[in-house]
């Protein structure tokens, strides 16, 4: 008698872009009142960032609209994550890609783009933050002179459209609503695109936008900041993808607090996250004790901390820039401990009432 062994269906993909999405949720903290803080770990996307979602959508839309021809060239000013996302899509779909960058970007992001065959055009940084305005000028010039397609992530609506899947994943994996969504703003795509789709699906989510202190996106004074992937320097015109109607609360976080949060998370979970995620986590940890019982708060972790080993995870780099604060580290560790203690105290209270 022949015995047939049932085997599961093979799960093998043939392109890296098929791995985009379905990123996990990690519970970072919980309170005695039943509220929890979750991290949406977008570093598990190919290229280690959420930006590959919108890079794919912008290129596919350009193909559908006929503005990007087979074998053509793409040009985009980028601090790195959009660049690696566009590089992946360009490789798969047969395009050349030029990234306009500056020295404010993480060196590991620049190395990653070079490893993927990207043509890097460097713009001199003014020393007070990213040279966003000049990078855009150079990208426009290259597009005009060569006929390259410039997706222009700050103004391209398909940036925001690229996060439709992220919103659906949140509702599917939670099985309930997202009460609070915290994320960096930057181009507006990740936070605003996700919030728009969540609300279209019936969510009552409250959104909290987070920006570096010194960014002008929320109207504050321009200043120097070291967080990359978010923020806008003085003189920059904020694009329409930053939809203020979709951002219920707008907060700024300084570099010390953002980087401290990222480093403490690494020590407590073994998970390395980027600086903008650190800013969101800083805000969320402070807010968690104040929200309604049994609330679910999610922080969008836009990229992986391994890209910042020589910056925000390097004590010497931080000290040289006066960004290392041992007191801030201890203070955040105590907050984590307080949440853990609140769960213990709540369980003791329940036990006492039951007795």
């Amino acid at each position: 008698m022949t015995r047939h062994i049932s085997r599961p269906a093979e799960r093998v993909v043939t392109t890296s872009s098929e791995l985009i999405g379905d990123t996990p949720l990690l519970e970072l903290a919980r309170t005695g009142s039943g509220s929890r803080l979750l991290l949406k770990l977008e570093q598990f996307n190919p290229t280690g960032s959420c930006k590959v979602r919108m890079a794919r959508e912008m290129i596919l839309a350009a193909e559908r609209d006929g503005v990007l021809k087979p074998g053509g060239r793409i040009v985009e000013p980028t601090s790195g994550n959009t660049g690696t996302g566009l590089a992946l899509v360009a490789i798969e779909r047969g395009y050349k890609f030029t990234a306009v960058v500056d020295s404010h970007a993480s060196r590991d992001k620049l190395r990653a783009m070079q490893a993927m065959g990207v043509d890097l055009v460097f713009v001199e940084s003014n020393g007070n933050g990213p040279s966003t305005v000049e990078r855009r000028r150079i990208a426009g010039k290259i597009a005009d002179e060569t006929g390259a397609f410039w997706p222009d992530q700050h103004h391209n609506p398909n940036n925001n459209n690229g996060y439709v899947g992220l919103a659906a994943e949140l509702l599917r994996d939670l099985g309930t609503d997202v009460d609070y969504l915290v994320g960096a703003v930057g181009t507006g795509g990740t936070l605003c695109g996700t919030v728009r789709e969540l609300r279209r699906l019936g969510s009552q989510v409250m959104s909290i936008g987070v920006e570096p202190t010194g960014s002008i996106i929320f109207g504050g004074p321009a200043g120097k900041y070291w967080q990359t992937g978010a923020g806008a320097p003085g003189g920059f015109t904020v694009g329409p993808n930053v939809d203020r109607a979709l951002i219920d609360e707008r907060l700024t976080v300084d570099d010390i607090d953002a980087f401290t949060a990222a480093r403490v998370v690494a020590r407590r979970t073994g998970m390395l996250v980027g600086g903008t995620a650190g800013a969101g986590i800083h805000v969320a940890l402070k807010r968690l004790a104040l929200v309604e019982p049994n609330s679910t708060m999610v922080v969008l972790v836009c990229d992986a901390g391994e890209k910042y080993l020589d910056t925000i995870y390097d004590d010497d780099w931080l000290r040289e820039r006066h960004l290392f604060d041992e007191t801030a580290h201890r203070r955040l560790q105590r907050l984590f401990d307080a949440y853990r203690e609140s769960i213990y105290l709540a369980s003791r209270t329940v036990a006492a009432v039951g007795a």
Side-chain angles (χ1 to χ4, degrees):
M1 181 175 179
T2 304
R3 186 178 178 183
H4 297 283
I5 300 175
S6 177
R7 300 184 184 277
E10 185 176 81
R11 298 181 62 188
V12 178
V13 301
T14 57
T15 61
S16 297
S17 61
E18 293 175 78
L19 300 172
I20 296 172
D22 291 322
T23 55
L25 285 164
L26 171 69
E27 182 175 298
L28 180 64
R30 181 182 286 266
T31 70
S33 66
S35 294
R36 56 184 177 162
L37 169 55
L38 310 179
L39 306 182
K40 177 66 167 166
L41 298 174
E42 285 289 285
Q43 69 260 51
F44 285 93
N45 281 305
T47 74
S49 165
C50 67
K51 295 299 186 73
V52 71
R53 293 181 186 259
M54 64 86 153
R56 177 178 60 179
E57 187 62 30
M58 291 194 299
I59 297 308
L60 293 180
E63 291 177 352
R64 292 192 298 267
D65 295 341
V67 296
L68 183 55
K69 306 298 184 182
R73 178 174 291 276
I74 302 164
V75 62
E76 181 73 17
T78 173
S79 62
N81 283 329
T82 298
T84 52
L86 286 169
L88 184 151
V89 180
I91 288 169
E92 290 188 351
R93 306 188 74 80
Y95 302 114
K96 303 177 183 67
F97 175 42
T98 297
V100 184
V101 300
D102 62 28
S103 59
H104 189 262
S106 159
R107 281 179 288 178
D108 284 330
K109 292 180 185 178
L110 300 178
R111 293 188 188 110
M113 284 190 283
Q114 288 177 317
M116 299 169 79
V118 176
D119 176 26
L120 298 185
V121 174
F122 280 86
V123 170
E124 190 67 30
S125 178
N126 60 18
N128 292 316
S131 53
T132 309
V133 175
E134 181 64 8
R135 281 191 281 128
R136 288 182 59 80
R137 187 187 73 78
I138 295 298
K141 181 179 179 182
I142 292 172
D144 290 340
E145 292 178 350
T146 68
F149 169 62
W150 178 12
D152 193 357
Q153 59 181 317
H154 288 274
H155 294 79
N156 191 325
N158 294 296
N159 175 351
N160 298 45
N161 293 341
Y163 297 99
V164 167
L166 198 162
E169 290 168 28
L170 287 172
L171 296 180
R172 179 199 67 197
D173 292 346
L174 287 170
T176 185
D177 201 1
V178 181
D179 298 304
Y180 297 88
L181 186 68
V182 184
V185 177
T187 67
T190 309
L191 183 64
C192 296
T194 304
V195 170
R196 184 184 66 189
E197 180 63 10
L198 281 171
R199 290 179 177 166
R200 190 190 73 81
L201 295 172
S203 172
Q204 300 298 310
V205 64
M206 177 178 178
S207 60
I208 303 175
V210 180
E211 277 292 290
T213 302
S215 167
I216 55 89
I217 286 179
F218 294 156
K224 184 175 182 178
Y225 54 88
W226 290 98
Q227 297 170 59
T228 65
F236 178 73
T237 301
V238 179
N241 287 341
V242 178
D243 186 344
R244 288 169 173 79
L246 295 171
I247 306 173
D248 297 314
E249 189 171 355
R250 305 161 195 170
L251 301 173
T252 59
V253 176
D254 64 37
D255 292 332
I256 289 176
D257 286 333
F259 298 161
T260 295
R263 289 161 60 92
V264 170
V265 167
R267 293 295 180 91
R268 295 189 76 102
T269 69
M271 192 71 63
L272 275 65
V273 302
T276 60
I281 291 167
H282 170 81
V283 166
L285 283 169
K286 292 175 64 177
R287 184 61 56 87
L288 188 63
L290 306 177
V291 300
E292 302 84 355
N294 301 310
S295 294
T296 295
M297 181 179 292
V298 177
V299 174
L300 297 173
V301 175
C302 290
D303 70 349
E306 286 85 353
K307 301 178 182 185
Y308 309 98
L309 294 177
D310 60 355
T311 55
I312 68 177
Y313 292 99
D314 185 311
D315 292 0
D316 293 335
W317 185 90
L318 292 175
R319 287 193 174 98
E320 287 170 7
R321 291 156 181 81
H322 308 290
L323 298 174
F324 188 86
D325 187 334
E326 293 183 358
T327 301
H329 281 71
R330 290 194 295 270
R331 185 165 56 242
L332 201 60
Q333 291 279 14
R334 288 197 298 269
L335 183 56
F336 272 106
D337 293 339
Y339 283 137
R340 182 178 297 173
E341 180 69 12
S342 75
I343 296 172
Y344 171 73
L345 292 174
S347 65
R348 290 288 300 270
T349 300
V350 170
V353 171

